[in-house]
Amino acid sequence: MRTSLGFAAGKDGLRTLVVTSPNSGEGKSSTAVNLAMSFVQAKKRVVLIDADMRRPRLHQVFEPPIGREADGLARVLAGKCTLDEALITGGDVPEGMSLLLCGEIPQNPSELLESPQTRKLLAELGERFDLVVLDTPPVLPVSDPLILARMADGVVVVARCQATTRAGLQRALTTLRRSEANLLGVILNEVDARREEAGYGAGYYSYHADPNAAAPHGSA
């Protein structure tokens, strides 16, 4: 996936990446974590952000330090703490990666994301890191990922085999394209290689997907 994203990003490179899905439970958070770790293994400085301020998940993967559970993206955007106070390194976080959890869940996620503070924050992170990975909410239920997609260099959509419907995936892709997001591709999650060889992938979706690669733009 890391190699495919490098090709999809083109000569301008990839500095901010939004990871989303049509609906919940399709593996976007685990994909965001693994993508971030993969870029770290390639010697990139990466910050992983839990930008799902409705149902955050990354605090279940990386436990925040005691006393800092509330610090995170929401408080930074609201001006209640500084970026350095909210960033987490060490502990469960791999070397070379920094983590910005959601922290406290705000009452107005969309308003916070649409504020000038979000662009300012992403600009600052872009200067401090080689790659900013944003784990966002699903596309179809809420508008949050569309807001962030317009600020990012690229977007990938995670679909889950035998869970994501063709109609749901097409709606998500259409919604992102209409928002003028730079859609880099689709990652098909939990592919059964044995069924794929038997032609299952072609029947369920309109393309054969490599489970370890992002599909080229427009191939889904």
Side-chain angles (χ1 to χ4, degrees), residues 5-16 130-131 152-154 182 184:
L5 286 172
F7 284 121
K11 62 181 181 179
D12 294 331
L14 186 66
R15 300 300 295 269
T16 51
D130 298 316
L131 178 66
D153 295 327
N182 181 21
L184 299 179

Side-chain angles (χ1 to χ4, degrees), residues 55-119:
R55 297 180 63 185
R57 289 288 182 269
L58 297 188
H59 65 282
Q60 299 173 353
V61 180
F62 305 101
E63 187 174 352
I66 296 175
R68 297 180 58 189
E69 296 87 353
D71 291 338
L73 176 62
R75 287 176 63 87
V76 171
L77 293 179
K80 296 180 179 179
C81 72
T82 67
L83 176 59
D84 287 324
E85 288 172 337
L87 282 175
I88 298 173
T89 56
D92 295 337
V93 182
E95 184 178 356
M97 182 192 297
S98 294
L99 181 67
L100 182 58
L101 297 176
C102 169
E104 66 179 14
I105 298 178
Q107 295 181 345
N108 56 342
S110 296
E111 288 80 0
L112 276 179
L113 293 176
E114 285 185 311
S115 68
Q117 285 78 3
T118 302
R119 288 189 178 276

Side-chain angles (χ1 to χ4, degrees), residues 1 5 9 14-22 27-29 31-33 35-36 39 47-52 73 113 118 122 131-139 142-158 172-173 176 179-187 214:
M1 289 189 294
L5 286 172
L14 186 66
R15 300 300 295 269
T16 51
L17 175 67
V18 163
V19 180
T20 187
S21 60
K28 65 174 182 59
S29 295
T31 299
V33 170
L35 274 173
F39 278 98
V47 58
L48 175 62
I49 302 176
D50 194 339
D52 188 341
L73 176 62
L113 293 176
T118 302
L122 291 179
L131 178 66
V132 180
V133 179
L134 298 111
D135 176 26
T136 73
V139 172
V142 295
S143 63
D144 302 10
L146 304 179
I147 297 169
L148 291 170
R150 291 192 290 266
M151 304 179 191
D153 295 327
V155 181
V156 292
V157 177
V158 178
L173 297 177
L176 284 164
S179 71
E180 300 183 351
N182 181 21
L183 184 60
L184 299 179
V186 174
I187 298 173

